[in-house]
Amino acid sequence: NGSVFLEVQAQVSASFGAKVGNGSISLSGLELLEMVSTKRQLKGVLGEGDGFIDLSVGNGQIRVQGE
């Protein structure tokens, strides 16, 4: 339970996945390609998808921001 805030460089290259049990997910300042979004899950590709970002919380929010 709780919240996650992740700030990454705008040119990040990773497969991205975020999941909440009960809460919200927000992404700003980044272009997410091949995006699949539901009420509790967001996934896609950032840049070329070279690495992995996998975030999960039970109750709370996930905020990801590009700088």
Side-chain angles (χ1 to χ4, degrees), residues 2-56:
S3 296
V4 172
F5 175 70
L6 176 65
E7 189 172 58
V8 297
Q9 294 181 349
Q11 64 272 20
V12 67
S13 180
S15 293
F16 176 85
K19 189 183 297 186
V20 295
N22 183 22
S24 63
I25 302 169
S26 65
L27 183 82
S28 63
L30 297 166
E31 183 179 3
L32 189 60
L33 307 172
E34 302 175 28
M35 182 173 63
V36 175
S37 178
T38 67
K39 185 176 179 177
R40 295 201 163 97
Q41 184 172 312
L42 177 64
K43 57 185 172 178
V45 177
L46 296 165
E48 299 294 318
D50 294 326
F52 295 96
I53 298 173
D54 187 21
L55 306 170
S56 178

